[in-house]
Amino acid sequence: MSRIQCSEIQIERRKFKPQLPDTLKSDPANIKIKRGSATNSISNQEELKAIFPNTYGLPLVELVKGKNLEIKKKQLKVGVVLSGGQAPGGHNVIAGIFDCLKKANAKNSLIGFSGGPSGILENKYKVITEKTLHDYRNTGGFDFIQSGRTKIETPEQFEKVKNNLIENKLNALVIIGGDDSNTNAAFLAEFMRANNIDCNVIGVPKTIDGDLKNKYIETSFGFDTATKIYAELAGNICRDAYSSRKYWHFIRLMGRSASHITLEVGFKTQPNIVLIGEEISAKKMTLAQVVDSIADIIVRRSKEGKKYGIVLVPEGLIEFIPEIKELISALNDALASANFPNDFSIEQKKNFLYEKLPSNLSNLLKSIPSQIASQLLLDRDPHGNVLVSQIETEKLLIEMTHKKLAQLKKENLYDDKFAAITHFFGYEGRCGIPTNFDANYTYTLGYNAAILALNGLTSYISSIRNLVKPPKQWICGGVPITMMMNIERRKGHNRPVIQKTLVDLNGKPFKQFQKVKDKWAIEECYLFPGPIQYFGDSFITDMTTKTLKYEQK
Ligand code: FBP
């Protein structure tokens, strides 16, 4: 395989030495596992206990200093796989696993499955050595071994995976992924235990969306870097709008079902309108009411002579509007059971659905602009998620805002020009060079995952806490995957899944936002955060997210 080309920054960045927490600085033979008491899932306890008889209810674990000499005697072979969407720092997770394994025993080895979970199914992998890994340390992207979204679900697939893990003599598999991939990790761990196969499965919390978090997983990796990249871009747009004073910019931001990214970018740039899907859902707002709230601010600003502004739109907004959520859920069920011929056009699908859906939902589908309605019908991903990154909600909002303002003009309530521009920031942030925080955090997550694997644990996610403190004070451990699970409706069926953590309307970050949003709407409070700083004063280079800061205040 050809070596990647390196920019000047990358060459300098390669020299960065990620910091480890004090607990992990000791030799792995001086790190012990401290077990807590048994755990329970979030809900559906009895059902989940029946589905995961061998791995349900494991205790929380913490890493502490203490003799653990057995580690040195074992010779382990571990596999690693990147699963799902890219997030800055994935390569450092691999580096952390590799360095820990080698520190424990130079004969330990690591292989990386290529192209995501399909690599395990097809037994495609590369042996990871310092030579092959070196150029990827502290880099963004997943290109070292690549990623994919294949879901391992059928009995035949589980059998294939089992045979490949046995053939490769793997003692452990580390799955670096989001909520869906870690749900898959739990199933795989259970399957291996049920079949008496001595191959442990450990997860690592990855996703820029920031929705794989709880008391023990304070943030998923990549959120810090991605939000800084989006904030730089959104901040530049704020300044452009403030300079030319003629456009309204509608910026849609990635984040799938959760608005964490939008809230964080809001804090970093203080634009005029920040739509939070979770709030819209709680208030049971219709699409028309969301548009009314936008138009209201446009009119108020116009009265002050300001015909410009910035609106942040979470990409999952559409799924939060109760009427559309109901429509999407009905579409999911209808699409899952419909067996469309391959050559069925989108218009034929629509006509079929108009007949199949209850009349209120059928009428709603007809009322949505055709292009957006077509985007709602796109195939779901292998985990049953709607492809929200491809639904141009910002265009829908602009179209409807135009109509609303035209109506207000007729009523002599508005008399200005509304010129709007759209942006979508998502893929721009997923492969950025990891910030110091993400570089340290991902390396530590990988190192910690290797310690969990070396100690024979399975069905755990690598957990690093106390993240607002410097890395030396971080707390290391593992959280049982089943502890984060519940049963949800996916692809027309009830399925055990890790519960996504959405923006908590009673949480400190959202409460903070509520205090300032009216001021941001009318006054000019814009912030221009500029690019990520990799070199210089640690006050700037090591700064983490406002979300973590407010959450842990
Ligand atoms: P993960 O949940 O796998 O981390 O992916 C997150 C994400 O970046 C979402 O924000 C976005 O909606 C989606 O991936 C896009 O998926 P794809 O890369 O398949 O287009």
Side-chain angles (χ1 to χ4, degrees):
M1 196 183 142
S2 61
R3 286 172 72 112
I4 45 165
Q5 299 288 308
C6 287
S7 68
E8 289 83 354
I9 292 280
Q10 260 177 277
I11 292 166
E12 277 310 299
R13 194 61 187 160
R14 213 190 283 149
K15 298 176 193 158
F16 178 80
K17 295 267 172 269
Q19 295 174 49
L20 279 175
D22 281 347
T23 326
L24 296 184
K25 281 183 192 149
S26 317
D27 189 283
N30 290 323
I31 304 172
K32 273 197 338 189
I33 301 283
K34 187 174 134 200
R35 287 176 166 78
S37 44
T39 57
N40 264 314
S41 58
I42 301 170
S43 59
N44 309 93
Q45 284 92 2
E46 290 311 314
E47 285 148 285
L48 287 164
K49 210 183 274 182
I51 298 170
F52 297 97
N54 298 284
T55 49
Y56 182 88
L58 295 167
L60 282 162
V61 298
E62 192 179 321
L63 305 193
V64 292
K65 289 187 182 165
K67 288 268 167 281
N68 191 357
L69 296 172
E70 285 303 300
I71 294 274
K72 291 275 174 195
K73 294 182 197 149
K74 291 182 205 155
Q75 189 183 321
L76 287 197
K77 187 171 176 194
V78 175
V80 61
V81 65
L82 289 162
S83 182
Q86 284 71 253
H91 292 153
N92 263 24
V93 179
I94 299 175
I97 301 170
F98 179 82
D99 290 352
C100 177
L101 289 177
K102 291 292 176 189
K103 191 162 181 187
N105 182 341
K107 289 190 178 142
N108 285 341
S109 58
L110 181 65
I111 62 168
F113 287 101
S114 319
S118 64
I120 317 177
L121 281 168
E122 292 157 18
N123 207 17
K124 285 193 187 147
Y125 63 85
K126 68 157 102 166
V127 177
I128 297 176
T129 61
E130 178 51 38
K131 193 160 178 257
T132 56
L133 179 63
H134 180 71
D135 283 352
Y136 293 89
R137 288 182 183 266
N138 307 312
T139 58
F142 279 5
D143 43 310
F144 181 40
I145 55 173
Q146 292 144 358
S147 185
R149 289 199 186 276
T150 301
K151 181 171 161 72
I152 298 167
E153 53 185 342
T154 65
E156 297 74 37
Q157 286 176 321
F158 273 93
E159 208 46 41
K160 257 191 177 176
V161 167
K162 183 185 88 181
N163 293 339
N164 289 340
L165 298 182
I166 293 174
E167 190 186 315
N168 289 311
K169 298 191 172 60
L170 288 191
N171 304 94
L173 175 69
V174 180
I175 297 183
I176 305 171
D179 52 328
D180 290 327
S181 311
N182 277 292
T183 295
N184 239 210
F187 274 105
L188 202 53
E190 174 64 30
F191 183 77
M192 300 314 263
R193 275 285 149 95
N195 285 279
N196 289 319
I197 313 287
D198 198 12
C199 178
N200 302 314
V201 184
I202 301 293
V204 173
K206 168 239 67 166
T207 177
I208 60 160
D209 299 348
D211 57 0
L212 176 49
K213 67 171 175 182
N214 50 48
K215 193 170 159 200
Y216 303 98
I217 296 173
E218 295 177 359
T219 187
S220 51
F221 80 75
F223 179 74
D224 185 73
T225 311
T227 52
K228 282 181 176 138
I229 293 172
Y230 303 143
E232 180 200 354
L233 298 172
N236 291 349
I237 289 172
C238 289
R239 193 146 221 167
D240 195 286
Y242 194 39
S243 303
S244 68
R245 307 195 179 193
K246 58 181 180 183
Y247 297 125
W248 270 88
H249 293 268
F250 282 60
I251 307 174
R252 177 164 54 105
L253 293 164
M254 242 185 200
R256 213 198 282 278
S257 318
S259 308
H260 297 292
I261 289 182
T262 301
L263 186 57
E264 175 66 23
V265 174
F267 284 131
K268 287 193 166 104
T269 58
Q270 305 189 166
N272 306 102
I273 302 176
V274 180
L275 299 175
I276 299 297
E278 291 81 344
E279 182 186 18
I280 287 164
S281 167
K283 289 184 173 166
K284 299 195 177 14
M285 288 171 83
T286 61
L287 194 50
Q289 286 168 327
V290 174
V291 172
D292 286 354
S293 72
I294 296 172
D296 175 58
I297 293 175
I298 294 174
V299 171
R300 281 163 58 204
R301 286 181 65 79
S302 150
K303 283 187 182 144
E304 298 204 2
K306 301 169 182 174
K307 55 173 100 173
Y308 59 93
I310 287 89
V311 186
L312 298 189
V313 182
E315 70 170 2
L317 176 81
I318 196 130
E319 284 190 297
F320 277 112
I321 296 171
E323 53 185 344
I324 304 215
K325 189 174 183 178
E326 195 189 342
L327 172 64
I328 289 176
S329 161
L331 284 175
N332 287 349
D333 288 356
L335 291 169
S337 58
N339 224 343
F340 293 128
N342 285 345
D343 58 352
F344 229 48
S345 72
I346 208 87
E347 287 314 312
Q348 285 173 305
K349 281 186 188 172
K350 274 189 203 164
N351 288 332
F352 168 86
L353 290 161
Y354 293 151
E355 294 294 311
K356 177 112 183 148
L357 293 173
S359 64
N360 63 326
L361 297 179
S362 175
N363 289 337
L364 178 61
L365 186 62
K366 285 179 195 160
S367 73
I368 294 174
S370 168
Q371 198 185 345
I372 304 285
S374 304
Q375 290 163 354
L376 283 176
L377 301 192
L378 290 171
D379 285 343
R380 283 21 183 173
D381 80 2
H383 298 270
N385 299 305
V386 178
L387 301 181
V388 279
S389 68
Q390 294 181 45
I391 301 178
E392 296 168 303
T393 318
E394 69 284 20
K395 289 193 179 156
L396 173 68
L397 291 176
I398 290 176
E399 191 175 320
M400 293 182 72
T401 305
H402 263 297
K403 284 190 187 147
K404 177 72 194 178
L405 293 173
Q407 180 198 325
L408 293 175
K409 260 188 188 171
K410 275 191 200 154
E411 296 165 19
N412 290 326
L413 295 169
Y414 175 70
D415 182 25
D416 220 334
K417 192 171 162 243
F418 171 64
I421 294 182
T422 58
H423 310 265
F424 169 46
F425 300 142
Y427 298 96
E428 293 82 349
R430 299 200 309 180
C431 286
I433 300 177
T435 55
N436 277 4
F437 173 83
D438 268 331
N440 290 328
Y441 182 43
T442 47
Y443 186 78
T444 302
L445 280 169
Y447 205 99
N448 183 64
I451 295 279
L452 299 179
L454 285 168
N455 282 281
L457 295 173
T458 196
S459 199
Y460 278 86
I461 294 196
S462 178
S463 151
I464 307 296
R465 292 184 290 134
N466 213 20
L467 295 174
V468 288
K469 295 279 162 40
K472 67 194 302 294
Q473 295 174 39
W474 289 354
I475 300 166
C476 307
V479 50
I481 304 181
T482 56
M483 191 183 173
M484 301 174 221
M485 294 180 95
N486 67 357
I487 307 261
E488 287 176 23
R489 196 130 181 100
R490 295 283 174 94
K491 283 189 177 168
H493 299 279
N494 288 338
R495 304 240 196 250
V497 289
I498 293 179
Q499 190 181 57
K500 282 185 196 298
T501 299
L502 305 180
V503 170
D504 176 6
L505 301 184
N506 293 313
K508 291 180 192 163
F510 184 76
K511 293 262 181 224
Q512 173 63 25
F513 166 64
Q514 271 184 318
K515 281 189 214 156
V516 291
K517 68 179 195 178
D518 290 340
K519 193 172 155 68
W520 294 358
I522 305 301
E523 296 175 26
E524 267 55 52
C525 302
Y526 306 137
L527 294 176
F528 318 113
I532 293 170
Q533 301 297 312
Y534 295 99
F535 309 100
D537 191 336
S538 71
F539 165 68
I540 297 289
T541 56
D542 296 357
M543 181 173 39
T544 182
T545 60
K546 305 267 182 207
T547 305
L548 263 181
K549 191 182 115 188
Y550 292 131
E551 274 171 355
Q552 299 198 12
K553 218 172 181 175

